[in-house]
Amino acid sequence: NLLDKSLAPSSHIKSSDYNKMHRDMNSGPKIISTAYASSSPLSNTNINSGNGGKISGGGPFVQSVAQLDKSVRGAIERRSVAIMFLRELFGIVRGTLQPTARDDFLDTFLQTPLPGRREPSSTLSGEHTSEQISPNNSILTIFAVLLQHLQGHHIEITSLLDILVGIFYHDAPYVRLYAIQHASDKDSLVYVLIKLLLATTDTAIHTPLLEILRTILDTTDDHIFIQSWYDHYFSHLVDVSENFGSIVLGQVCDLLAFCISAHCHVC
């Protein structure tokens, strides 16, 4: 819409300005270049290239668009659009990329750090590597936060769970390490997944949830995770009563049967 000449007052914006802005937008990652901003009649807003191209000043853009962008409704819409984008992106990755390229993409996605410092990652063998992002600083934390705040948003929840199915299949050991390191954090992802399983009767949500949990539970060698699961997470899974309804109780029993089958040698 910014490049649609019919949306702008012709008395304030010349055709040459649009052409210049279009060239600037296509020449790099910045929305509007410093060169254009310094001569643009659009506003008196300043763009400081030495500060990451951040916008400052009191021009019309900041006074109108930026204020609307801070609204609760705007934040909800942006979050929904971002989740839908990720769902489509992961669908393209699964459907079109070769296995090697798909694995590279998922590795890169998992290694995207949260804002903060980069930490060495502890592997299950106790070794450390500076090439990985610690699960303590994992993007999985963002999924946990989103799932906790999306109550009632069916499409967004199922979209996130669909993405998580692919992530858990791709690198279950990484997710198990995350679960071990966040066992004391009741707001971490595995706890949130268990809460979601107990809080809904929607089979469209239960199906990917069960698949996700089975994926990380399907191990016979990771004794540290198995111990952590039964010491911390298991009691939350079985903390149910008849008031939860037959659907939830049935799903819990399904997971219990899977645990018995997978970990009977450990017990």
Side-chain angles (χ1 to χ4, degrees):
N1 289 340
L2 285 175
L3 300 179
D4 187 346
K5 298 179 183 179
S6 65
L7 298 178
S10 58
S11 60
H12 295 289
I13 304 176
K14 298 179 294 183
S15 176
S16 59
D17 290 323
Y18 276 107
N19 294 334
K20 184 175 179 59
M21 183 167 68
H22 190 275
R23 289 197 305 270
D24 290 337
M25 290 180 70
N26 290 328
S27 64
K30 293 182 180 179
I31 296 178
I32 305 175
S33 72
T34 305
Y36 173 77
S38 63
S39 59
S40 172
L42 288 172
S43 70
N44 61 357
T45 300
N46 297 318
I47 300 182
N48 184 356
S49 60
N51 192 26
K54 292 184 178 180
I55 297 174
S56 61
F61 177 86
V62 173
Q63 294 173 5
S64 58
V65 179
Q67 289 182 1
L68 293 175
D69 197 50
K70 295 178 182 178
S71 67
V72 174
R73 180 176 178 179
I76 293 175
E77 290 178 351
R78 290 196 308 275
R79 181 185 65 188
S80 178
V81 169
I83 292 173
M84 294 302 102
F85 167 77
L86 284 177
R87 182 185 68 176
E88 294 300 322
L89 176 62
F90 273 77
I92 293 172
V93 168
R94 286 195 297 266
T96 62
L97 293 186
Q98 296 297 319
T100 301
R102 183 170 61 246
D103 290 343
D104 289 343
F105 170 85
L106 291 172
D107 285 337
T108 301
F109 183 80
L110 278 176
Q111 295 305 315
T112 302
L114 298 179
R117 66 187 183 89
R118 183 180 294 261
E119 302 176 18
S121 174
S122 297
T123 63
L124 295 179
S125 61
E127 298 175 351
H128 294 268
T129 172
S130 58
E131 299 296 324
Q132 294 181 319
I133 300 299
S134 167
N136 279 325
N137 197 30
S138 173
I139 200 164
L140 296 178
T141 301
I142 294 180
F143 281 84
V145 173
L146 285 172
L147 288 172
Q148 289 187 90
H149 290 83
L150 284 172
Q151 184 175 1
H153 294 77
H154 174 87
I155 296 177
E156 286 87 344
I157 290 175
T158 53
S159 297
L160 289 176
L161 292 177
D162 186 49
I163 294 171
L164 286 174
V165 168
I167 291 175
F168 279 45
Y169 269 129
H170 169 71
D171 199 347
Y174 179 88
V175 180
R176 293 185 191 112
L177 180 57
Y178 170 91
I180 293 169
Q181 295 184 343
H182 290 78
S184 59
D185 180 5
K186 299 302 187 293
D187 291 324
S188 61
L189 182 58
V190 178
Y191 284 112
V192 171
L193 294 174
I194 293 174
K195 292 175 187 176
L196 185 58
L197 178 70
L198 302 180
T200 181
T201 59
D202 191 337
T203 54
I205 293 177
H206 276 171
T207 299
L209 269 176
L210 291 174
E211 191 172 359
I212 288 168
L213 291 173
R214 287 195 196 103
T215 300
I216 60 170
L217 290 171
D218 188 14
T219 177
T220 58
D221 301 324
D222 192 346
H223 298 287
I224 298 176
F225 168 76
I226 294 173
Q227 186 69 43
S228 180
W229 167 258
Y230 288 106
D231 286 347
H232 300 280
Y233 298 101
F234 186 76
S235 60
H236 293 265
L237 176 65
V238 297
D239 187 18
V240 295
S241 67
E242 60 183 14
N243 296 328
F244 279 79
S246 59
I247 295 178
V248 173
L249 293 176
Q251 305 292 17
V252 171
C253 289
D254 187 30
L255 269 181
L256 291 180
F258 184 86
C259 289
I260 292 172
S261 174
H263 307 144
C264 60
H265 68 288
V266 178
C267 300

